[in-house]
Amino acid sequence: MALRHAVLAALLDEELSGYQLAKSFRLGVANFWHAQPQQLYVELTRLEKDGLISGREVVQESRPNKRVFTVTDAGRAELEYFTAAVAKPSVIRDDLLVKVYSADHVDSDILIVLLAERVESARDKIELIGELLRTLRGDRTEEEFLRRGERVGPYLTGLRGLAFEQGNLEWCERAIAVLTQRQADRDNHA
Amino acid sequence: MALRHAVLAALLDEELSGYQLAKSFRLGVANFWHAQPQQLYVELTRLEKDGLISGREVVQESRPNKRVFTVTDAGRAELEYFTAAVAKPSVIRDDLLVKVYSADHVDSDILIVLLAERVESARDKIELIGELLRTLRGDRTEEEFLRRGERVGPYLTGLRGLAFEQGNLEWCERAIAVLTQRQADRDNHA
DNA sequence: AATTACATGTAACGTGTTACATGATTCG
DNA sequence: CGAATCATGTAACACGTTACATGTAATT
């Protein structure tokens, strides 16, 4: 059981449809849990069947109808139970790092291009999370919000995501510099 | 295909047995790819069957015999092909962050304990990676090593892992401070 | 007119985790 | 004498990804 709790957490403050949930995953939740929209629909079905969330149909005009979900008491209990259990170590999987690990055996040019692309996507992500955080805290300062605001949970995880992407950015730039330098040295030598 | 390339990358510089590979994953590779030892044995079998690595039996006295593996030319080609392909965005999954996301709805005491545990494991990890990096660079300075050393790939990914764990550490401490503060405020109010 | 956003699902397949299974040797 | 290290695997199950499948409405 895994995605299950991420979904429950995402539905705690807001009643969401599968589609909106997917959006929420792309933004906030993605900082610590990835899921394809399709997987979310499957999970929502399961959670409802297990009585941890309950759905209700919302009729819309000029938009397809949708089903929105809220966490039930049983769902809240499940989340509390989950929270009390020991946290498994975090899982990371990153293609790009696999490639960099092989740096001494593969073409550096390609790596530099891929690293530069990652720099760009990190920048975008930083921008996005920045907006999310601004929205959450409104016109309060961060200090003030963290002290008295509602929804510090999402804010804190947002901060982690932000730091992660900044780490990505800095590391990618460093890696590009190193690989470029080595390439220049090698060329001079030849 | 996923773990497959991480294994190939890990076997590039060194001939390793399944057991040693598992160790290598716990240390260096774990910074960007997680795998259970069991999974590695399965993957090694598959890779050998596909001709991407080749194994040879090493007879040992006073230790069980083992099979060590090297990457074949086909394996190297496969890695190069993989490297040239676009990198998928990195995947993160972290139980602890799911819990913190729910911070406004669950017991903070538990969260603080879990965060403190994570601080400890981050410290351990930082220690471990530090040693790994020192081993890799020998008596050279980092600058010097990155410029002229062999095996900069593993070194660079090590640096990323280090920064990641330091980010973890700082963030956990911040989160603990925030949650503690809020709890104190709430108690004073009551 | 085309693209993006809204809206929801199923089926096949690939991947990963956990539990099960075994056994020798070394270190504290 | 018990725990950790060395050493390798299988089987059942859980989880996740990709491809397939469909259709309306708003925006550019």
Side-chain angles (χ1 to χ4, degrees):
Chain A
M1 312 285 162
L3 173 58
R4 130 162 314 208
H5 300 107
V7 171
L8 285 173
L11 290 175
L12 274 177
D13 318 287
E14 299 168 296
E15 198 177 35
L16 298 172
S17 67
Y19 189 83
Q20 294 172 310
L21 184 64
K23 237 181 165 176
S24 176
F25 262 71
R26 243 188 314 161
L27 277 172
V29 183
N31 290 315
F32 54 89
W33 209 276
H34 276 263
Q36 247 56 48
Q38 289 93 332
Q39 185 66 12
L40 294 176
Y41 286 110
V42 173
E43 199 58 45
L44 285 170
T45 307
R46 262 207 285 263
L47 281 164
E48 193 180 26
K49 196 195 68 197
D50 296 345
L52 303 183
I53 60 175
S54 81
R56 99 190 145 77
E57 182 90 12
V58 173
V59 180
Q60 300 183 111
E61 30 182 270
S62 93
R63 286 233 178 285
N65 294 347
K66 59 183 175 183
R67 304 201 63 215
V68 294
F69 298 90
T70 4
V71 181
T72 62
D73 289 342
R76 250 177 293 274
E78 170 65 24
L79 238 193
E80 254 160 75
Y81 178 79
F82 165 74
T83 301
V86 291
K88 290 187 205 157
S90 60
V91 171
I92 306 189
R93 299 214 159 94
D94 195 334
D95 271 17
L96 180 56
L97 280 269
V98 174
K99 295 171 185 186
V100 172
Y101 192 91
S102 321
D104 308 296
H105 303 268
V106 302
D107 181 14
S108 289
D109 288 330
I110 298 177
L111 287 180
I112 290 167
V113 169
L114 292 172
L115 285 162
E117 281 170 12
R118 180 62 64 91
V119 165
E120 282 319 305
S121 71
R123 271 196 231 289
D124 293 348
K125 202 72 204 297
I126 287 168
E127 194 51 47
L128 225 61
I129 301 177
E131 271 171 48
L132 175 71
L133 294 182
R134 257 172 272 135
T135 304
L136 281 171
R137 70 169 177 264
D139 46 13
R140 286 157 291 188
T141 65
E142 185 162 288
E143 276 317 308
E144 173 59 18
F145 175 78
L146 285 174
R147 196 146 179 184
R148 278 180 274 276
E150 359 50 64
R151 306 198 66 195
V152 281
Y155 199 93
L156 285 171
T157 59
L159 283 177
R160 184 68 192 100
L162 189 64
F164 176 72
E165 289 300 341
Q166 276 159 351
N168 255 339
L169 186 65
E170 281 162 36
W171 177 80
C172 285
E173 281 173 347
R174 179 107 167 90
I176 289 172
V178 167
L179 293 178
T180 306
Q181 173 73 265
R182 289 170 68 92
Q183 227 171 19
D185 286 0
R186 218 174 328 125
D187 290 349
N188 277 344
H189 214 76
Chain B
M1 315 286 164
L3 173 59
R4 126 163 317 208
H5 300 108
V7 171
L8 285 174
L11 290 174
L12 274 177
D13 319 286
E14 299 168 296
E15 198 179 33
L16 298 173
S17 66
Y19 190 83
Q20 295 172 309
L21 184 65
K23 238 181 165 176
S24 176
F25 263 71
R26 244 188 313 161
L27 277 172
V29 183
N31 290 316
F32 54 89
W33 208 276
H34 276 261
Q36 248 56 47
Q38 289 93 332
Q39 186 66 12
L40 295 177
Y41 286 109
V42 174
E43 199 60 44
L44 285 171
T45 307
R46 263 207 283 260
L47 280 165
E48 193 180 24
K49 197 195 69 198
D50 295 347
L52 303 182
I53 61 175
S54 81
R56 95 191 148 78
E57 182 90 10
V58 173
V59 179
Q60 300 183 112
E61 29 183 270
S62 94
R63 287 235 176 283
N65 294 346
K66 60 183 176 182
R67 307 200 63 216
V68 293
F69 299 90
T70 4
V71 181
T72 63
D73 288 343
R76 250 177 293 273
E78 170 65 25
L79 239 192
E80 253 160 74
Y81 178 79
F82 165 75
T83 302
V86 290
K88 291 186 202 156
S90 62
V91 171
I92 306 189
R93 298 212 160 97
D94 194 334
D95 271 18
L96 180 57
L97 280 269
V98 174
K99 295 171 186 187
V100 172
Y101 193 91
S102 321
D104 308 296
H105 303 269
V106 301
D107 182 13
S108 290
D109 288 329
I110 298 177
L111 287 180
I112 290 168
V113 169
L114 292 172
L115 285 162
E117 282 171 11
R118 180 61 66 91
V119 165
E120 282 318 305
S121 71
R123 271 196 230 288
D124 293 348
K125 202 73 204 296
I126 287 168
E127 194 51 46
L128 225 61
I129 300 177
E131 270 169 52
L132 176 71
L133 294 181
R134 257 172 274 135
T135 303
L136 281 170
R137 72 171 176 262
D139 47 12
R140 286 157 290 188
T141 64
E142 186 160 290
E143 276 318 308
E144 173 58 18
F145 175 78
L146 286 174
R147 198 146 177 182
R148 276 179 276 276
E150 359 50 64
R151 304 197 68 195
V152 283
Y155 198 93
L156 285 171
T157 58
L159 283 178
R160 183 70 193 97
L162 190 64
F164 176 72
E165 289 300 340
Q166 276 161 350
N168 256 339
L169 187 65
E170 280 161 36
W171 177 79
C172 285
E173 282 173 346
R174 179 108 169 87
I176 290 173
V178 167
L179 293 177
T180 307
Q181 173 73 266
R182 289 170 68 92
Q183 227 171 18
D185 286 1
R186 219 175 329 124
D187 292 349
N188 276 344
H189 213 76

